[in-house]
Amino acid sequence: MPKDTTVSKTTHTTEIFERRESEARSYSRGMPAMFATASGSHLHDESGNTWIDFLAGCSSLNYGHNDPDMKAALVDHITSDGITHGLDLHTNTKADFLTAMEEHILAPRGMDHRVMFTGPTGANAVEAAMKIARKVTGRTNVIAFTNGFHGVTNGALAATGNGYHRGGAGMSLHGVTRMPFDGFFDGIDSADYLDQMLSDASGGIDAPAAIMLETIQGEGGLNAARAEWVKKIEGIAKKHGALLIIDDIQAGCGRSGTFFSFEEMGVTPDIVTLAKSISGFGLPLAMVLVKPEYDVFGPAEHNGTFRGNTHAFVTARIAIEKFWADNSFQSELADKARLIEERLTELASLVPEARLKGRGLMRGVDVGSGELAGKICAEAYKNGLVIETSGSDDQVVKVLAPLTTSVETFNEGFDILIAAARKVLGSTTNIAAE
Amino acid sequence: MPKDTTVSKTTHTTEIFERRESEARSYSRGMPAMFATASGSHLHDESGNTWIDFLAGCSSLNYGHNDPDMKAALVDHITSDGITHGLDLHTNTKADFLTAMEEHILAPRGMDHRVMFTGPTGANAVEAAMKIARKVTGRTNVIAFTNGFHGVTNGALAATGNGYHRGGAGMSLHGVTRMPFDGFFDGIDSADYLDQMLSDASGGIDAPAAIMLETIQGEGGLNAARAEWVKKIEGIAKKHGALLIIDDIQAGCGRSGTFFSFEEMGVTPDIVTLAKSISGFGLPLAMVLVKPEYDVFGPAEHNGTFRGNTHAFVTARIAIEKFWADNSFQSELADKARLIEERLTELASLVPEARLKGRGLMRGVDVGSGELAGKICAEAYKNGLVIETSGSDDQVVKVLAPLTTSVETFNEGFDILIAAARKVLGSTTNIAAE
Amino acid sequence: MPKDTTVSKTTHTTEIFERRESEARSYSRGMPAMFATASGSHLHDESGNTWIDFLAGCSSLNYGHNDPDMKAALVDHITSDGITHGLDLHTNTKADFLTAMEEHILAPRGMDHRVMFTGPTGANAVEAAMKIARKVTGRTNVIAFTNGFHGVTNGALAATGNGYHRGGAGMSLHGVTRMPFDGFFDGIDSADYLDQMLSDASGGIDAPAAIMLETIQGEGGLNAARAEWVKKIEGIAKKHGALLIIDDIQAGCGRSGTFFSFEEMGVTPDIVTLAKSISGFGLPLAMVLVKPEYDVFGPAEHNGTFRGNTHAFVTARIAIEKFWADNSFQSELADKARLIEERLTELASLVPEARLKGRGLMRGVDVGSGELAGKICAEAYKNGLVIETSGSDDQVVKVLAPLTTSVETFNEGFDILIAAARKVLGSTTNIAAE
Amino acid sequence: MPKDTTVSKTTHTTEIFERRESEARSYSRGMPAMFATASGSHLHDESGNTWIDFLAGCSSLNYGHNDPDMKAALVDHITSDGITHGLDLHTNTKADFLTAMEEHILAPRGMDHRVMFTGPTGANAVEAAMKIARKVTGRTNVIAFTNGFHGVTNGALAATGNGYHRGGAGMSLHGVTRMPFDGFFDGIDSADYLDQMLSDASGGIDAPAAIMLETIQGEGGLNAARAEWVKKIEGIAKKHGALLIIDDIQAGCGRSGTFFSFEEMGVTPDIVTLAKSISGFGLPLAMVLVKPEYDVFGPAEHNGTFRGNTHAFVTARIAIEKFWADNSFQSELADKARLIEERLTELASLVPEARLKGRGLMRGVDVGSGELAGKICAEAYKNGLVIETSGSDDQVVKVLAPLTTSVETFNEGFDILIAAARKVLGSTTNIAAE
């Protein structure tokens, strides 16, 4: 009955999007190509143009597009009528994923956390994490930080700092107190400030259910917290009876250079949220890791039709087994992180007062203004590089390439980026000089 | 590197779930089989046992498990390196889906709504819908109804009636006023009551941004609103300057007997939420349909990494083209609805004061107590039927079979169900008689 | 140093009010006289004009203006340097008041309630009452009713139904669920409706900390609840673990015909709020009566500089001893209530479909529109009667005369009122007839 | 009919308080005398004992107890049947007060503010001020500071920092963001910090309706903001479109050494709240001064039965005319402020690391612990001095004597206080030495 079950080969126009898709669409505005296929670190459009991908689905594609091993396993699963949608019933696929997660991720890191599958979006995992902390403590207040980004559903949005996104709520959001992230205000250790606010009996901050943070703020401008600061926050949480939630949705799954972004900090969060790259393949999947003593939800107390996603379990298992069963992938990441730093230093040297941001493979350059950063990325796109900005004024050129990107492709992408910056700065200079 | 990329053939135990999965898991408690494969209306476990599926992923599998046409298209898409994760970039796959949605669903029904892809969960679509209504009107208050279920993220949870789920928030939820659903309180038309509450200048209900409802309350006990009531609510919304949101996540995609549950009511909602079966295949996908004049979000104002899900676009297009391009499927549904009614009447006749609930292919029997309904479903499960309860006391035996279930399989399932009821009631009677 | 410590005898103009008083001023707009003195049921302006007072400071002057016994006691207290402002220190004056309150009010009615002095406004007493209920139960939600009026500070305003006042908050108000008052919606017993909403596990109403009501809604249009309804509400509160708060600020202190408005209903509220006439003399004083088991505030946990008001204690004691030490005053009230009913029936007979409202000495006539009621009151004012409207559309001509008003003065006032109505209706008729 | 209208001469016991007054009573616990009369700076109990008053009704008695001129005017007003309770009708008494307020207070300071009479408590004035700012700006968020105290009704309590008072709400409070007061956190100018939090587009602080502060935090420990800081805050408010509210309830009416606490800072608040000493006599009265362009409440939109208090208008007018018509009183205050500083320096010298706090005649000594401060005050009370502590740990011995206290009485009071400190410290030392 269907016209044709294969991918359409005709060339599409963007009319249908203009006519029928909501104005909420965003990336397609600056990068209007009609994308069709992708593999590894490359995206291709219908007309055969190719882009190197330095965006990686906002860190949802840490292992690149359509990894061949995951692809094969998924096709095999589908072909053999493996479960697609199983609510939260037991499936062999989920069992295999959990086993891999335990064996290669949790156990080696000494984490006895339970895995809770929420609706397959990061926001949903954050919502569940905040609810757990409130249920455990009987308190409402969650401490979140300047420039934090945790999603746009109302519970998570209360914790998100970005004013544009907050404005979308159309109402006041409750239950969160904002505190300065590490380095937000010069001359203070903002962890000490938080401690004093919480310790003063008339400080006016309600006793917290949780302190929630990203160790590297992806959307907020690639602000990387110092390990000492995170460790101090862990102590403050304990002191004030709050749970420590680390939102590792963007910085986790290897992006920081290790599986979890916090694992070399000597910190053990009470709750960790994961999404984006956890499926390995870009499929929707999200989860909450929670210490057993805080695993307080009753059956389906937090539920959702798509909690767990069986296709994603297939690829997620492969991702773990392929990349995290031994230390080799993590070693490569260290090398690539050095390469990224080197090339971004080169970029930064072009812009007066530019600053390197981020950590590991989640890096960028603050070029001082959103206008400049935007122009550089637009120019790069024209020349075959998909790359985006970040930060409260979009002032950071952000590199979130697949972790599996080869050295060659990395350099090719950086060459495009640096040339784009030169061109934009040149024309800027010319304009300024006239 | 990965051990084996094929589906494991070994027999699994449930130990890994007990050790590592959160206590929030639910369906697996009453139906502890290790499910492995599924097709059409049948589920199979690792040991080769088979169940008829009268749950259908809570209405996420309206076209059954692993529909062969969708399966083929999806495998083809994956095999040919079609985009898996594309943020909200243009893809040929999304263009094709939108075109099918316009051609076969929206245009024929005279709907000029725009399609907004939210994070792929129903809750996320509901959150976006509520945010839009608040942004459009500049008001906060959303009217929701007794026994409504709209999800468990904080914004949506405020609109959900179920006390167990609400309790999971660990905090007071804001921005929603609860009103009685059609038929909730004997002797009144609850639409008139709502109108009077809103019309009285000292009624104490803040002017509403939206009135949000399910025409058939799935989780709330299969309460079906009368068309006149929904129509009256539409008028009340207009009169009071509120948007009408119909949450068609569970009742949509054919479940009611037509594509939208409201399309024969003469009602045009300002906003419609869709999820569950919209992908056709059980893959995570959710969307908001919004009248162009209310499509007020700016780019990415409401965003999410997995907004849109390219794999789901593939299958969703097939589902629309296969089932909704002409009238034949809808005709079949009418026949099956009659069959369901007939067999449930048979079930109801076994239980004193039992009542048929629901509408179309979203039907059930209120057997008077959650304990009895639970026993019947448990007995049915033992005999090869997956079926669940619903309602504020779980007092409704609920039939949510794939719409594609054959008459033969329907009857087979009902035979199991009715036998289970007889057995449970027999033993109950015996116990009572002793 | 001060110019002159006596009351100025010069004739004032209203210029200073127009220049310096906030636009929030209200009664002076419709009744612009420059009032100077008052005694009993009469008000006098600077120019020697006299009005009969059927407003009585919105029931704050139940014993009339400047009662001679209270006046004498207060002057004596001031002259002898009695404490004016004593925070919540022990004073002989407060001891005497409490003793009178116990002896003549609480003990005879079998009430073991404790007396909490809050800031001297009704709103403050309501805020304290709601806080107590929340602290006792650990719940947030307070059930309040359509057309209820409990004050305009944010906590109390959340419970107030009037949309104009609610709008003044400039923000959403939290912690209150609105339910229909007795008689609000034809054809139902709204207590049964409340019970069903609270009893349904998916009713979506959070478990209540308190149910708060006025037995006669003063500002809301003189809606008098039936005794059976109040009694039923008391049972519902108990059943659902909520405290029963009766806000007797306007209906208390004899206004209903007995000291408390509920005392003949067989109801014992957990908390009662009193203000308005409790000082007897129109001085600011407010209090919360709370059952000992719910007297949970720690020292100064709810405080306020003017909690207790020593001058008011002087007059409040006299009021109790003079009017409530024996049954004679209450007997008089019954006679006067009959007189009021008779004369208001006369008024109502002039207006088609007019309805008598209220109970005891808190009565009025719903004349069908705020415009008509306003014209009648304005005409009465011109002829020497101070009287106001009430209700969500100001559609009720409200009589709140001092309870001490003589039969002669009552009749004089009613004669003015009825003549005013005749005149307004005559001209209305004429206009309509033309 | 009343037993006896004069003040009872019998000696009372405290039994009635224990039996019938709420546990919320506070000052009477540490100072259990049965106070009966008071004049100037002295309090007397029923048994004839006398105390010097260094508490002054928490700054409600800036002109002492029962000032003879106010007393005479009030007795005259009452005796001649002046209006006691007049709602917000025009009265000659109110006209006279407003005229004095304009002539001697507002006009000389170049303030064109309107006067809004709220319910006669400071909390009510604060509630009105916050509501105005929200209505003017259409924003919800009010910035308040650590250790601020603004009252305990829910709207005001949201802005109050004290955790004990906040806990009394029994619910989360909304609409306020807490920021560090001047000097709260070492090493930063907290105004700069506030500016940065508001300026960062992802700072996560909603655009503010108002910034509200006390220039000297009375309950918060006598923290005096620097003039430069307050001035900077005024600029930040303007920059971010927020109103500046100065809560001068405790620091106003001369307490700081000038009528308003901010008048020598070059700051013009958009809104000022006044209560406590504004009546001059300790009678309940509160008001909001609001710039005409922000006087946005409609008639009675914020109302209250006791708004305005005619007796208080009588004494408030005298207070203004007697103390503020020329510069002499303010000159005296400067001398007394020096005396207080000198004697508190003497006190501070007794305690290692003690610090002087406050400004003007609102001074204290932080003795390092609430326990020590409490002991000193208790010992002082035994020896004839009423004095209290303040601060988040009650660690500040606070002097809030009537501004009219003579030098002799001041010294007498300080002698008692210093002797008390010596005794307590001596015994402490002895205990420590043993």
Side-chain angles (χ1 to χ4, degrees), chain C residues 206-223:
Chain C
D206 292 333
I211 305 179
M212 179 166 71
L213 62 93
E214 304 150 283
T215 65
I216 312 166
Q217 298 183 316
E219 299 308 301
L222 299 172
N223 310 306

PDB file of all heavy atoms in Angstrom, chain C residues 206-223:
ATOM      1  N   ASP C 206      -4.781  18.156  45.633  1.00  0.00           N
ATOM      2  CA  ASP C 206      -3.840  17.703  46.660  1.00  0.00           C
ATOM      3  C   ASP C 206      -4.531  17.632  48.015  1.00  0.00           C
ATOM      4  O   ASP C 206      -5.416  18.447  48.334  1.00  0.00           O
ATOM      5  CB  ASP C 206      -2.640  18.658  46.726  1.00  0.00           C
ATOM      6  CG  ASP C 206      -1.782  18.563  45.464  1.00  0.00           C
ATOM      7  OD1 ASP C 206      -1.775  17.490  44.825  1.00  0.00           O
ATOM      8  OD2 ASP C 206      -1.129  19.558  45.114  1.00  0.00           O
ATOM      9  N   ALA C 207      -4.100  16.695  48.833  1.00  0.00           N
ATOM     10  CA  ALA C 207      -4.690  16.520  50.157  1.00  0.00           C
ATOM     11  C   ALA C 207      -4.646  17.850  50.898  1.00  0.00           C
ATOM     12  O   ALA C 207      -3.626  18.526  50.933  1.00  0.00           O
ATOM     13  CB  ALA C 207      -3.931  15.447  50.931  1.00  0.00           C
ATOM     14  N   PRO C 208      -5.750  18.265  51.463  1.00  0.00           N
ATOM     15  CA  PRO C 208      -5.838  19.615  52.021  1.00  0.00           C
ATOM     16  C   PRO C 208      -5.289  19.750  53.441  1.00  0.00           C
ATOM     17  O   PRO C 208      -5.483  18.882  54.282  1.00  0.00           O
ATOM     18  CB  PRO C 208      -7.339  19.895  52.013  1.00  0.00           C
ATOM     19  CG  PRO C 208      -7.986  18.555  52.113  1.00  0.00           C
ATOM     20  CD  PRO C 208      -7.043  17.562  51.472  1.00  0.00           C
ATOM     21  N   ALA C 209      -4.631  20.877  53.661  1.00  0.00           N
ATOM     22  CA  ALA C 209      -4.226  21.266  55.013  1.00  0.00           C
ATOM     23  C   ALA C 209      -5.420  21.798  55.782  1.00  0.00           C
ATOM     24  O   ALA C 209      -5.537  21.599  56.995  1.00  0.00           O
ATOM     25  CB  ALA C 209      -3.145  22.344  54.932  1.00  0.00           C
ATOM     26  N   ALA C 210      -6.303  22.471  55.070  1.00  0.00           N
ATOM     27  CA  ALA C 210      -7.454  23.088  55.722  1.00  0.00           C
ATOM     28  C   ALA C 210      -8.559  23.323  54.716  1.00  0.00           C
ATOM     29  O   ALA C 210      -8.326  23.410  53.517  1.00  0.00           O
ATOM     30  CB  ALA C 210      -7.063  24.427  56.348  1.00  0.00           C
ATOM     31  N   ILE C 211      -9.759  23.391  55.251  1.00  0.00           N
ATOM     32  CA  ILE C 211     -10.890  23.930  54.503  1.00  0.00           C
ATOM     33  C   ILE C 211     -11.275  25.216  55.229  1.00  0.00           C
ATOM     34  O   ILE C 211     -11.473  25.203  56.442  1.00  0.00           O
ATOM     35  CB  ILE C 211     -12.071  22.936  54.453  1.00  0.00           C
ATOM     36  CG1 ILE C 211     -11.598  21.578  53.887  1.00  0.00           C
ATOM     37  CG2 ILE C 211     -13.221  23.507  53.649  1.00  0.00           C
ATOM     38  CD1 ILE C 211     -12.698  20.510  53.832  1.00  0.00           C
ATOM     39  N   MET C 212     -11.314  26.313  54.507  1.00  0.00           N
ATOM     40  CA  MET C 212     -11.544  27.624  55.125  1.00  0.00           C
ATOM     41  C   MET C 212     -12.779  28.272  54.529  1.00  0.00           C
ATOM     42  O   MET C 212     -12.915  28.344  53.313  1.00  0.00           O
ATOM     43  CB  MET C 212     -10.328  28.526  54.910  1.00  0.00           C
ATOM     44  CG  MET C 212     -10.499  29.913  55.510  1.00  0.00           C
ATOM     45  SD  MET C 212      -8.925  30.834  55.624  1.00  0.00           S
ATOM     46  CE  MET C 212      -8.622  31.178  53.905  1.00  0.00           C
ATOM     47  N   LEU C 213     -13.654  28.751  55.385  1.00  0.00           N
ATOM     48  CA  LEU C 213     -14.890  29.343  54.882  1.00  0.00           C
ATOM     49  C   LEU C 213     -15.426  30.421  55.814  1.00  0.00           C
ATOM     50  O   LEU C 213     -15.129  30.448  57.004  1.00  0.00           O
ATOM     51  CB  LEU C 213     -15.948  28.249  54.685  1.00  0.00           C
ATOM     52  CG  LEU C 213     -16.391  27.476  55.929  1.00  0.00           C
ATOM     53  CD1 LEU C 213     -17.639  28.102  56.570  1.00  0.00           C
ATOM     54  CD2 LEU C 213     -16.702  26.030  55.538  1.00  0.00           C
ATOM     55  N   GLU C 214     -16.208  31.294  55.230  1.00  0.00           N
ATOM     56  CA  GLU C 214     -17.077  32.209  55.985  1.00  0.00           C
ATOM     57  C   GLU C 214     -18.467  31.588  55.972  1.00  0.00           C
ATOM     58  O   GLU C 214     -18.924  31.151  54.914  1.00  0.00           O
ATOM     59  CB  GLU C 214     -17.159  33.575  55.291  1.00  0.00           C
ATOM     60  CG  GLU C 214     -15.836  34.256  55.032  1.00  0.00           C
ATOM     61  CD  GLU C 214     -15.902  35.133  53.778  1.00  0.00           C
ATOM     62  OE1 GLU C 214     -15.853  34.560  52.661  1.00  0.00           O
ATOM     63  OE2 GLU C 214     -16.022  36.366  53.905  1.00  0.00           O
ATOM     64  N   THR C 215     -19.149  31.566  57.086  1.00  0.00           N
ATOM     65  CA  THR C 215     -20.510  30.990  57.052  1.00  0.00           C
ATOM     66  C   THR C 215     -21.456  31.933  56.318  1.00  0.00           C
ATOM     67  O   THR C 215     -22.445  31.487  55.735  1.00  0.00           O
ATOM     68  CB  THR C 215     -21.051  30.714  58.465  1.00  0.00           C
ATOM     69  OG1 THR C 215     -21.193  31.967  59.131  1.00  0.00           O
ATOM     70  CG2 THR C 215     -20.112  29.811  59.258  1.00  0.00           C
ATOM     71  N   ILE C 216     -21.165  33.221  56.359  1.00  0.00           N
ATOM     72  CA  ILE C 216     -21.907  34.204  55.564  1.00  0.00           C
ATOM     73  C   ILE C 216     -20.853  35.027  54.830  1.00  0.00           C
ATOM     74  O   ILE C 216     -19.996  35.642  55.470  1.00  0.00           O
ATOM     75  CB  ILE C 216     -22.767  35.155  56.432  1.00  0.00           C
ATOM     76  CG1 ILE C 216     -23.588  34.361  57.447  1.00  0.00           C
ATOM     77  CG2 ILE C 216     -23.666  36.034  55.552  1.00  0.00           C
ATOM     78  CD1 ILE C 216     -24.189  35.224  58.564  1.00  0.00           C
ATOM     79  N   GLN C 217     -20.890  34.999  53.523  1.00  0.00           N
ATOM     80  CA  GLN C 217     -19.853  35.694  52.755  1.00  0.00           C
ATOM     81  C   GLN C 217     -20.200  37.170  52.624  1.00  0.00           C
ATOM     82  O   GLN C 217     -21.104  37.538  51.863  1.00  0.00           O
ATOM     83  CB  GLN C 217     -19.724  35.059  51.378  1.00  0.00           C
ATOM     84  CG  GLN C 217     -19.290  33.593  51.447  1.00  0.00           C
ATOM     85  CD  GLN C 217     -19.096  32.987  50.074  1.00  0.00           C
ATOM     86  OE1 GLN C 217     -19.909  33.180  49.182  1.00  0.00           O
ATOM     87  NE2 GLN C 217     -18.005  32.253  49.911  1.00  0.00           N
ATOM     88  N   GLY C 218     -19.478  37.998  53.367  1.00  0.00           N
ATOM     89  CA  GLY C 218     -19.806  39.414  53.417  1.00  0.00           C
ATOM     90  C   GLY C 218     -19.552  40.131  52.108  1.00  0.00           C
ATOM     91  O   GLY C 218     -20.453  40.707  51.488  1.00  0.00           O
ATOM     92  N   GLU C 219     -18.299  40.077  51.660  1.00  0.00           N
ATOM     93  CA  GLU C 219     -17.954  40.788  50.435  1.00  0.00           C
ATOM     94  C   GLU C 219     -18.485  40.058  49.214  1.00  0.00           C
ATOM     95  O   GLU C 219     -18.676  40.646  48.159  1.00  0.00           O
ATOM     96  CB  GLU C 219     -16.434  40.944  50.328  1.00  0.00           C
ATOM     97  CG  GLU C 219     -15.805  41.727  51.463  1.00  0.00           C
ATOM     98  CD  GLU C 219     -16.496  43.058  51.661  1.00  0.00           C
ATOM     99  OE1 GLU C 219     -16.524  43.861  50.712  1.00  0.00           O
ATOM    100  OE2 GLU C 219     -17.051  43.283  52.764  1.00  0.00           O
ATOM    101  N   GLY C 220     -18.692  38.766  49.372  1.00  0.00           N
ATOM    102  CA  GLY C 220     -19.068  37.933  48.226  1.00  0.00           C
ATOM    103  C   GLY C 220     -20.535  38.001  47.862  1.00  0.00           C
ATOM    104  O   GLY C 220     -20.991  37.290  46.971  1.00  0.00           O
ATOM    105  N   GLY C 221     -21.307  38.830  48.586  1.00  0.00           N
ATOM    106  CA  GLY C 221     -22.710  38.971  48.195  1.00  0.00           C
ATOM    107  C   GLY C 221     -23.691  38.444  49.228  1.00  0.00           C
ATOM    108  O   GLY C 221     -24.833  38.135  48.909  1.00  0.00           O
ATOM    109  N   LEU C 222     -23.231  38.362  50.489  1.00  0.00           N
ATOM    110  CA  LEU C 222     -24.101  37.930  51.584  1.00  0.00           C
ATOM    111  C   LEU C 222     -24.707  36.551  51.322  1.00  0.00           C
ATOM    112  O   LEU C 222     -25.904  36.329  51.525  1.00  0.00           O
ATOM    113  CB  LEU C 222     -25.192  38.981  51.831  1.00  0.00           C
ATOM    114  CG  LEU C 222     -24.638  40.352  52.244  1.00  0.00           C
ATOM    115  CD1 LEU C 222     -25.746  41.387  52.270  1.00  0.00           C
ATOM    116  CD2 LEU C 222     -23.954  40.267  53.605  1.00  0.00           C
ATOM    117  N   ASN C 223     -23.863  35.644  50.866  1.00  0.00           N
ATOM    118  CA  ASN C 223     -24.284  34.269  50.685  1.00  0.00           C
ATOM    119  C   ASN C 223     -24.184  33.552  52.023  1.00  0.00           C
ATOM    120  O   ASN C 223     -23.101  33.459  52.591  1.00  0.00           O
ATOM    121  CB  ASN C 223     -23.377  33.566  49.666  1.00  0.00           C
ATOM    122  CG  ASN C 223     -23.235  34.386  48.395  1.00  0.00           C
ATOM    123  OD1 ASN C 223     -24.212  34.762  47.773  1.00  0.00           O
ATOM    124  ND2 ASN C 223     -21.995  34.725  48.045  1.00  0.00           N
TER     125      ASN C 223
END
